[in-house]
Amino acid sequence: MEYRQLGNTGMRVSELCFGALPMGPRQKNLDVDNCTRIIKKALGGGVNFIDTAQIYETYEPIQRAIHAYGGEVIIATKSTAVTYEDMEQAVEDAREKLQLDYIHIFHLHAARATERIFEERAGALRCLLDAREKGLIGAVGISTHGVAAVRKAATEKEIDVIFPLVNIKGMGIIDGSREDMLAAIAEAVAAGKGVYLMKALAGGNLLDNYQEAMAFARRVPGIAAVAVGMVSEAEVDYNLRYFNGEDPGTIQTAAKEFTVVESVCIGDGACLKACTNDAITMVNGKARINRAKCLLCGYCTEVCPQFAIRMI
């Protein structure tokens, strides 16, 4: 496993970052014991970097796995909080549930962010800066799908880490092309920001071209890691073999997709507004998901008051 410096943070992270979103309630909804085993498998294989979020609801298995492991594990989490008070609660929630006094990286969770993100969430940002000053967190970051937000973050001296979306097909990028995002990432790297990537496999859309897609992400100049969601020990083994320079062989991955239970859907359009990739349309008053565009981020599921969107 290769370990790289995360910008100017002083942190050294494994190139393979464990993405905790898919195992949680937004996607596969695996039980806590199963999640814990999967995370422990990754840690035992050399992964020392886990990416999660307040809304992923995966703190419990991460806490169990990292404390059983015993070695240092770098945790990045994030919150959609806007105000100082809400972000303060998010930081305390993470510290309590992870049973950690110190969280390495805390992001503004802002998939649809524009260049105004730091003005719009000034309170939340101030809270993270204060938490860093107090030694409660190590680095302040932003997690985003948007080119403009990455470019803006690259110029903000108080931002330490950027977690942008990019993949070989450019799927899911907001307000720009793949080349625009790569240029923005280059600006961030040049500014000394720690950068690691999300959605290299475009939410599973590029699984059939895994090696080509992953090789593209790994070659982005200056990035420290690639976050990959894993929902089985077999998937962990596959990714470990690949990132260790071995022939990963083949793996049977169960197709994952969101579907709308039309009998439950009330057609209020909340999911359509929440979707970051224009993957949802309204047909005859019911939401419909375009699998070819869906990145399995799960933002639609949290805003549906009827719980009409399910993973199958």
Side-chain angles (χ1 to χ4, degrees):
M1 179 67 63
E2 183 176 343
Y3 299 86
R4 299 175 177 176
Q5 293 295 327
L6 185 63
N8 294 333
T9 66
M11 301 175 200
R12 192 168 178 81
V13 298
S14 54
E15 187 190 7
L16 174 59
C17 171
F18 189 102
L21 166 63
M23 64 170 49
R26 285 168 162 255
Q27 292 197 15
K28 296 299 286 186
N29 198 24
L30 303 178
D31 65 79
V32 173
D33 288 343
N34 197 8
C35 290
T36 303
R37 281 194 299 272
I38 294 166
I39 298 168
K40 286 172 68 176
K41 180 82 170 180
L43 298 179
V47 171
N48 78 339
F49 190 17
I50 299 175
D51 178 84
T52 186
Q54 185 179 33
I55 60 176
Y56 295 173
E57 299 180 43
T58 53
Y59 286 162
E60 183 177 358
I62 293 171
Q63 177 269 125
R64 290 189 186 184
I66 62 176
H67 289 290
Y69 173 65
E72 184 182 26
V73 180
I74 293 169
I75 305 293
T77 190
K78 49 192 100 75
S79 172
T80 59
V82 174
T83 67
Y84 190 106
E85 293 75 17
D86 286 349
M87 185 59 85
E88 187 173 42
Q89 184 56 53
V91 172
E92 287 310 303
D93 183 57
R95 293 174 70 234
E96 178 182 344
K97 292 181 178 177
L98 291 166
Q99 295 183 14
L100 295 171
D101 293 329
Y102 171 87
I103 307 296
H104 295 82
I105 303 162
F106 216 112
H107 294 291
L108 295 174
H109 198 171
R112 285 184 172 274
T114 70
E115 67 276 4
R116 290 180 51 80
I117 177 61
F118 302 113
E119 299 170 47
E120 295 167 347
R121 299 198 189 173
L125 177 59
R126 171 47 53 192
C127 176
L128 291 180
L129 297 178
D130 287 349
R132 186 179 64 189
E133 181 68 21
K134 295 173 185 175
L136 303 179
I137 66 175
V140 176
I142 180 172
S143 167
T144 183
H145 298 185
V147 172
V150 174
R151 283 188 169 137
K152 180 62 176 174
T155 69
E156 293 289 323
K157 66 177 183 178
E158 298 288 9
I159 298 301
D160 305 303
V161 179
I162 303 174
F163 185 32
L165 180 157
V166 75
N167 54 66
I168 195 169
K169 296 292 187 182
M171 292 181 64
I173 296 171
I174 295 174
D175 63 34
S177 65
R178 184 189 78 174
E179 285 66 32
D180 292 332
M181 183 61 89
L182 290 173
I185 289 170
E187 292 172 22
V189 170
K193 309 302 182 185
V195 181
Y196 67 109
L197 306 181
M198 71 169 88
K199 303 295 183 187
L201 296 174
N205 284 288
L206 304 178
L207 273 172
D208 289 343
N209 297 302
Y210 173 95
Q211 294 199 43
E212 181 186 14
M214 204 63 77
F216 168 84
R218 296 174 75 189
R219 286 196 300 265
V220 174
I223 63 106
V226 180
V228 182
M230 293 171 265
V231 296
S232 70
E233 292 184 67
E235 288 187 4
V236 172
D237 279 333
Y238 185 87
N239 284 294
L240 286 173
R241 287 195 298 271
Y242 176 75
F243 276 83
N244 283 329
E246 303 169 15
D247 180 358
T250 59
I251 184 173
Q252 293 295 321
T253 56
K256 297 181 289 185
E257 63 180 281
F258 284 121
T259 189
V260 177
V261 182
E262 292 195 357
S263 61
V264 178
C265 177
I266 63 173
D268 64 357
C271 58
L272 188 150
K273 295 175 185 176
C275 180
T276 60
N277 203 39
D278 297 322
I280 303 177
T281 55
M282 299 301 292
V283 178
N284 297 324
K286 303 290 185 180
R288 183 169 295 177
I289 298 173
N290 181 339
R291 180 64 186 91
K293 289 186 174 183
C294 178
L295 295 183
L296 299 178
C297 63
Y299 295 122
C300 58
T301 62
E302 71 167 358
V303 301
C304 178
Q306 311 303 316
F307 302 102
I309 302 174
R310 316 279 175 83
M311 175 162 275
I312 59 171

